Amino acid sequence: MTKGKVYFVGAGPGDEGLITVKGQKAIEKADVILYDRLLNPKLLEAAAFDCELIYCGKTPYATGISQGEINELLVSKALEGHRVVRLKGGDPAVFGRVGEEAESLKDEGIPFEVIPGVTSSIAASMYAGVPVTHRDYGRSFAMVTGHDQTKKDIDWNGLVSIDTVAFYMGVANLPSIRENLINHGKPGNTPALVIQWGTYGRQESVEGTLDDIVERVSGRSLGNPAITLVGDIISLRGKLQWFERKPLYGQRFLVARTGTAKSALAEALYELGGEVIEFPKWNAAKVKIEESQLLAFLSYDRILFTSPESVHGFLDSLTEQAIDFRRISSKLYVLSRKSKKALQQRGLTAELKSGMPDTGTLLVVGDRNRDLRDPAHGDGDYIQSIAKFVDERFLEIFPRMLDGKAVGTVLFSNRHSVDMLMQYGNKADVDVEALLKQASIGVIGESTGNRLQDYGFTSDMMPKEPSVEQLVDLIVNRNVC
């Protein structure tokens, strides 16, 4: 069997937008992905459905899978002929042990490639409003591991002469770091900044000086993952803050998903600085429709599409059978604006179901099995144009996505999203009811709110008109007097 290849990919520090183009492509083409705790699990959504996802996370107080076991997995999966991605938070070459792991591959003659990523100290610092270099404040920059007390193997005399120093994972050893820096000549009034979960919406920053930073951090109960920055350049933070001034900074959202397409709601919250978890993760597969069936479907007076996926599945089948879209004489209807947009992208127009007359033959085109169709869609004939299903690999990942800061707001975009979060959240061993009890709840419209009530919950936010834009406005303005 031909040997595979291993790609060491830097996932960046947390914000999923900071993955490199080359790193993204490696994820998309991987057969196997070994991923760490500190990367954003949302990056894994780009992996192929048949890609094997292997969690290799370690916490500061639990070893988890050993480094030796990780090395053995990389070797064994590559020897099986797989294209393997070792996905690491930040940059794989900055305290990422890429050297050790690559050596184990070299010993076995396995080819590998290293794809750098945005390293955490530089990104987290800038997201907190601090560039690590500046011609007036900092012309030198150093990165230091803060895991150990490092009293012997760090050149503290050399460090105090560096303008800006970033310590990785040094919160537990912050007293020792402070002591060594001051004892070796760094003034106690030197600015210091600790950034926890940098570049995530849950990012938290504590600013002080070497004299008082330990007490300030302790008072806020910050822990790892964190970057500790030391240097006069921190004084620029007041002028250069941008991320922490976004309107939804510090807020964590859970958006219940019902489709494979990108959520416009999640995207809007993310752009406004919120941290957004989407669940469950969906995939779709083609459903074979014969030419004779498709031609018969075009004779209906009305065609109702239940989702964007059903639109694309139906139209893709027409394309595969070389049937001209212009042969569609039916009046087209959709359940959502997202489905309407999907048709517009294919050159067709549709109206919302609310405007659909009761007369004329009706074909309902959906993405579920016939026995799961929603009676509210109408009494017409039914065809499944695509098979949409939940990606159960993410059931294991979902609880880890919820770690850390509690979810403050849960959002539902339609009735089906309520059912899906309840069903698959519990299947992932997450207490969804407890989560909803402690969070604010937003729904897109009355029908969604009624479905939520069936489970014993009431919404806190519902726009006057069922639109993403209005729901986002409610969220942004809810704390504005």
Side-chain angles (χ1 to χ4, degrees):
M1 181 180 289
T2 304
K3 290 179 182 178
K5 184 175 180 179
V6 175
Y7 295 80
F8 294 94
V9 177
D15 183 337
E16 65 266 27
L18 295 179
I19 184 75
T20 64
V21 173
K22 192 170 185 178
Q24 178 82 5
K25 289 181 179 178
I27 294 171
E28 293 170 355
K29 296 178 180 178
D31 301 313
V32 181
I33 297 177
L34 282 72
Y35 66 98
D36 283 345
R37 178 178 76 98
L38 296 181
L39 61 87
N40 192 329
K42 194 170 181 63
L43 293 173
L44 299 173
E45 293 188 3
F49 178 66
D50 57 356
C51 176
E52 183 181 5
L53 305 178
I54 302 174
Y55 179 60
C56 298
K58 302 182 182 73
T59 66
Y61 308 107
T63 56
I65 186 171
S66 70
Q67 187 60 55
E69 290 172 313
I70 293 173
N71 295 349
E72 290 173 7
L73 274 170
L74 290 172
V75 170
S76 64
K77 294 296 182 181
L79 289 176
E80 290 170 7
H82 295 303
R83 187 184 182 104
V84 182
V85 165
R86 177 71 171 103
L87 195 57
K88 293 172 168 286
D91 183 283
V94 180
F95 308 122
R97 295 190 174 181
V98 67
E100 299 172 42
E101 295 177 7
E103 282 180 24
S104 66
L105 300 174
K106 184 68 175 177
D107 291 343
E108 298 291 337
I110 297 169
F112 64 87
E113 186 173 327
V114 180
I115 301 175
V118 179
T119 190
S120 301
S121 63
I122 295 174
S125 300
M126 198 64 257
Y127 270 56
V130 181
V132 294
T133 64
H134 187 282
R135 63 179 181 176
D136 294 329
Y137 295 91
R139 299 195 178 198
S140 57
F141 171 60
M143 294 179 284
V144 184
T145 178
H147 267 304
D148 305 311
Q149 292 193 6
T150 56
K151 291 181 179 178
K152 296 180 179 179
D153 55 353
I154 285 183
D155 179 7
W156 294 101
N157 285 319
L159 276 186
V160 297
S161 65
I162 301 292
D163 293 323
T164 310
V165 182
F167 293 89
Y168 283 64
M169 300 295 185
V171 173
N173 295 315
L174 194 54
S176 176
I177 291 170
R178 172 176 68 178
E179 177 185 359
N180 277 289
L181 286 174
I182 291 176
N183 287 346
H184 288 82
K186 204 74 169 175
N189 63 357
T190 302
L193 178 67
V194 176
I195 311 156
Q196 183 184 43
W197 289 110
T199 80
Y200 280 95
R202 76 189 100 155
Q203 173 179 304
E204 188 169 356
S205 305
V206 175
E207 186 175 352
T209 65
L210 283 178
D211 283 332
D212 63 13
I213 193 64
V214 172
E215 292 72 26
R216 287 176 179 265
V217 168
S218 177
R220 294 274 288 276
S221 300
L222 262 63
N224 288 322
I227 294 293
T228 298
L229 204 65
V230 179
D232 291 334
I233 202 167
I234 295 168
S235 62
L236 292 172
R237 183 166 180 256
K239 296 179 180 178
L240 301 182
Q241 277 181 287
W242 60 276
F243 180 62
E244 295 176 0
R245 290 177 178 167
K246 287 194 171 188
L248 297 182
Y249 162 73
Q251 299 186 41
R252 207 171 193 215
F253 301 87
L254 171 60
V255 174
R257 295 172 75 172
T258 58
T260 58
K262 286 185 176 181
S263 165
L265 176 57
E267 285 287 308
L269 298 172
Y270 166 76
E271 288 297 326
L272 292 170
E275 180 179 354
V276 186
I277 300 167
E278 296 179 78
F279 183 82
K281 165 74 167 63
W282 293 83
N283 280 307
K286 289 182 180 180
V287 171
K288 179 68 174 178
I289 307 176
E290 299 297 333
E291 181 182 9
S292 58
Q293 289 180 291
L294 287 167
L295 291 172
F297 295 152
L298 302 186
S299 66
Y300 283 81
D301 298 316
R302 301 169 294 159
I303 299 179
L304 172 65
F305 294 97
T306 67
S307 68
E309 291 85 2
S310 67
V311 168
H312 292 303
F314 186 79
L315 298 182
D316 287 347
S317 294
L318 291 178
T319 301
E320 289 170 6
Q321 297 291 353
I323 298 173
D324 195 327
F325 289 6
R326 289 173 293 184
R327 297 183 65 174
I328 301 176
S329 59
S330 315
K331 190 73 175 178
L332 306 182
Y333 297 91
V334 291
L335 293 182
S336 68
R337 289 178 174 82
K338 190 178 289 186
S339 296
K340 185 176 182 178
K341 185 177 181 180
L343 278 165
Q344 288 174 337
Q345 291 171 342
R346 306 291 289 264
L348 299 170
T349 59
E351 295 181 18
L352 292 174
K353 182 180 179 294
S354 57
M356 186 174 74
D358 295 328
T359 57
T361 55
L362 171 65
L363 174 68
V364 179
V365 181
D367 53 32
R368 307 190 213 175
N369 293 332
R370 184 181 301 273
D371 56 349
L372 295 176
R373 66 174 291 187
D374 190 336
H377 296 162
D379 296 327
D381 294 330
Y382 181 84
I383 180 68
Q384 182 184 13
S385 67
I386 200 163
K388 190 173 70 175
F389 52 93
V390 168
D391 188 338
E392 298 204 355
R393 294 175 302 175
F394 285 79
L395 297 182
E396 174 195 349
I397 296 171
F398 184 45
R400 292 198 295 271
M401 295 173 75
L402 296 173
D403 283 347
K405 185 174 182 177
V407 169
T409 307
V410 181
L411 300 168
F412 298 98
S413 58
N414 55 48
R415 290 172 57 88
H416 188 44
S417 67
V418 179
D419 296 328
M420 292 300 95
L421 180 62
M422 293 294 184
Q423 178 182 345
Y424 286 97
N426 290 326
K427 197 170 182 180
D429 292 327
V430 170
D431 190 340
V432 177
E433 292 190 356
L435 191 155
L436 290 174
K437 286 177 181 177
Q438 70 174 9
S440 296
I441 302 174
V443 297
I444 199 75
E446 187 175 349
S447 175
T448 308
N450 291 338
R451 187 59 181 147
L452 187 66
Q453 288 179 354
D454 292 340
Y455 288 94
F457 294 93
T458 57
S459 63
D460 303 293
M461 293 175 286
M462 182 175 71
K464 292 180 180 180
E465 297 293 331
S467 74
V468 167
E469 294 78 13
Q470 287 200 20
L471 181 55
V472 171
D473 284 343
L474 281 178
I475 293 168
V476 171
N477 296 317
R478 59 184 164 179
N479 295 322
V480 177
C481 298

